[in-house]
Amino acid sequence: MKTNPESENLDPKDVELMRFMDGLDPHDHPEWLEEKAAAQQLGQLLRSHLPSHAEPPSAEFFTSQIMAQIAPTGPARAGVSARSGFMDIFRRWCAPLATAAAVLVVGGMVMKRQSPGGGREAFAYTPIANVKATLDFNKDAGATVINLTGLTAIPDAREIKAFNVASTGAVAPGATQRFYAANDPDILLFVLHATDDGGPQIREVH
Amino acid sequence: MTGLATTDIASDGSTPAQDPADAALVLRCQAGDSRAFEPLVNRYRGKIYAMIVNMTGNDADAWDLAQEVFLKAWRALPRFEARSSFYTWIYRITHNVTYDWLRKKKISPGMEFDDTMATPDIAAGALTVPHSDERPDDRLANRELGQTIQDALKQLSPEHRSIILLKEIDGLSYQEIADTLEITLGTVMSRLFYARKKLQTLLQDYAPGRSENPQP
């Protein structure tokens, strides 16, 4: 690859030729008409075989992916509000993880078809061989649905806790934050804090 | 030196360089309104995706690279000072993203060719698409020629490839190319000169021209 601009200097005559070929020189140059025609023929050949505009596959999904990733991270967003909900906090902590997961899941579109719901359905790459992902934009719901099949079932014995968490005051991203019961602000439910490598970790208290 | 007249590049045929809609959307984005970014994505995704496909010859990676372009543009918007048009600016980001990808992939002449380009997935509303209403033998010949063109493009350096695509496919003026690639007008002209000569040599059966001394 050339990096030395000196090697790209053109002879002044070739500069004139270029300006003539690209219609920037109003003067007649009969001696260059053949070259101009050849350049135009080359341009036409390229334009007839290369698209100047082509929508990406699953174009609506393409846009929705971008919007989903930028929503929590406004470029000139005002400061965090004084009281923020759990989901806001969750998004702030987990945005990088969610982004990575989205990139993994939507690594490569391989085919698409009409879905039963009337939208377009696309298959996507998943990092686990026996897990298949289909992406379906459901027009009625106005949402993109990701269907994962082949995942290991969650054991019935697994206990899933749900808390009615109170809103808590805003803290700086990555700082330790405490969550209290909505009906009793004296009951500390769990603490969200950063691990040594900066990742989020929840420590249950109640 | 003055460039060619500003060219239409948007899918709706308007002239983005003079369209205040882009500037207004950019201002809203810079104020933190992420919803204002959606129409910009919808407007330019077809141009950006096509440019990346033409540069890389790879449909699958083009999707991800186009995503990366828009995400980088969003993150860089606070620093966008509107000294250039939005489309020139996002073309520059596209060039940088694609150039970095090509460098990491280390694609060199003849090393790699993705035959998915032989059957590109072109949207129904595409402004420029290969003909599809031709006889089978013509279609086969057309497809082979398309592959020959892709092979020839891959033998150009990324710098020469991008400049000939910006000029011949996207119809940018010398000045717009200079702004996009952040190079001088002289460099634009010399790169275009040698890129044309080399392509004319590689495609001499289809687009003959003077091809002596094709590379400096």
Side-chain angles (χ1 to χ4, degrees):
Chain A
M1 183 180 304
K2 299 188 306 304
T3 55
N4 180 7
E6 295 299 318
S7 67
E8 296 193 336
N9 281 347
L10 274 185
D11 185 276
K13 192 175 179 180
D14 287 331
V15 172
E16 278 189 65
L17 170 62
M18 287 290 289
R19 289 172 53 78
F20 176 69
M21 288 196 301
D22 287 320
L24 300 173
D25 185 348
H27 301 102
D28 285 336
H29 293 282
E31 72 278 17
W32 288 337
L33 286 177
E34 189 180 341
E35 308 225 5
K36 183 174 184 177
Q40 289 174 336
Q41 190 177 354
L42 175 66
Q44 182 58 37
L45 180 70
L46 296 176
R47 284 189 291 276
S48 64
H49 287 83
L50 299 174
S52 66
H53 181 279
E55 287 289 346
S58 303
E60 289 177 356
F61 179 68
F62 178 91
T63 299
S64 71
Q65 279 295 288
I66 292 168
M67 297 310 296
Q69 292 189 55
I70 69 172
T73 58
R77 192 173 178 174
V80 179
S81 60
R83 292 174 66 85
S84 56
F86 176 74
M87 286 310 295
D88 278 349
I89 298 158
F90 179 81
R91 285 193 196 101
R92 256 191 294 149
W93 279 88
C94 298
L97 296 176
T99 301
V103 169
L104 279 174
V105 170
V106 194
M109 316 299 280
V110 290
M111 64 174 68
K112 54 182 180 287
R113 70 183 183 202
Q114 203 70 17
S115 73
R120 294 168 74 192
E121 185 180 64
F123 294 87
Y125 164 80
T126 62
I128 305 172
N130 58 341
V131 175
K132 292 182 180 178
T134 57
L135 313 169
D136 177 17
F137 182 77
N138 188 300
K139 290 180 179 176
D140 294 335
T144 299
V145 179
I146 302 176
N147 303 298
L148 296 174
T149 55
L151 287 171
T152 305
I154 299 174
D156 292 340
R158 180 164 180 172
E159 182 183 5
I160 299 176
K161 291 183 179 178
F163 298 105
N164 187 11
V165 181
S167 298
T168 61
V171 297
T176 298
Q177 190 155 13
R178 291 173 173 76
F179 295 87
Y180 298 88
N183 59 350
D184 189 344
D186 293 330
I187 300 177
L188 179 62
L189 294 174
F190 54 86
V191 178
L192 179 64
H193 63 95
T195 58
D196 291 339
D197 59 0
Q201 187 171 61
I202 291 177
R203 179 170 59 85
E204 290 185 29
V205 177
H206 183 72
Chain B
M1 181 184 300
T2 57
L4 296 173
T6 302
T7 50
D8 290 349
I9 67 150
S11 58
D12 61 5
S14 64
T15 308
Q18 299 169 347
D19 188 345
D22 278 1
L25 290 169
V26 166
L27 283 175
R28 283 174 55 195
C29 289
Q30 289 176 325
D33 182 0
S34 61
R35 290 170 304 176
F37 197 57
E38 185 167 0
L40 288 170
V41 174
N42 289 339
R43 187 171 195 187
Y44 289 102
R45 69 188 177 200
K47 299 294 299 181
I48 301 303
Y49 180 75
M51 180 187 293
I52 295 172
V53 169
N54 290 334
M55 275 293 289
T56 63
N58 185 318
D59 278 350
D61 288 312
W63 205 94
D64 290 338
L65 290 172
Q67 287 268 314
E68 186 179 343
V69 166
F70 284 107
L71 292 175
K72 282 196 170 181
W74 171 256
R75 287 194 289 267
L77 265 173
R79 298 189 299 278
F80 176 61
E81 296 175 352
R83 279 181 289 196
S84 61
S85 64
F86 178 76
Y87 82 82
T88 300
W89 181 72
I90 201 164
Y91 269 29
R92 186 183 310 151
I93 294 174
T94 305
H95 170 79
N96 291 338
V97 166
T98 309
Y99 186 84
D100 286 345
W101 184 86
L102 289 170
R103 192 170 50 187
K104 286 173 187 169
K105 281 280 189 180
K106 294 182 179 175
I107 292 178
S108 58
M111 273 185 64
E112 187 173 322
F113 181 73
D114 182 350
D115 59 6
T116 57
M117 270 306 293
T119 55
D121 187 355
I122 306 299
L127 292 181
T128 304
V129 297
H131 294 296
S132 59
D133 55 349
E134 55 204 346
R135 295 184 340 197
D137 51 343
D138 289 342
R139 188 173 186 174
L140 179 62
N142 207 30
R143 188 171 291 183
E144 287 175 350
L145 177 53
Q147 183 165 327
T148 301
I149 291 171
Q150 273 296 329
D151 280 335
L153 278 174
K154 287 196 169 184
Q155 293 189 53
L156 302 182
S157 68
E159 288 87 353
H160 284 177
R161 200 182 316 164
S162 62
I163 214 152
I164 199 141
L165 290 172
L166 288 171
K167 182 72 182 73
E168 302 293 358
I169 304 301
D170 294 297
L172 265 59
S173 68
Y174 287 172
Q175 186 61 58
E176 288 169 328
I177 295 172
D179 290 344
T180 298
L181 303 181
E182 295 182 296
I183 55 179
T184 65
L185 284 171
T187 303
V188 170
M189 294 178 77
S190 72
R191 285 186 187 176
L192 186 57
F193 178 85
Y194 290 114
R196 278 176 173 157
K197 290 300 172 193
K198 183 155 189 177
L199 268 187
Q200 283 172 333
T201 301
L202 294 167
L203 300 170
Q204 57 186 333
D205 292 340
Y206 312 99
R210 190 182 70 170
S211 59
E212 67 269 24
N213 190 25
Q215 190 78 15

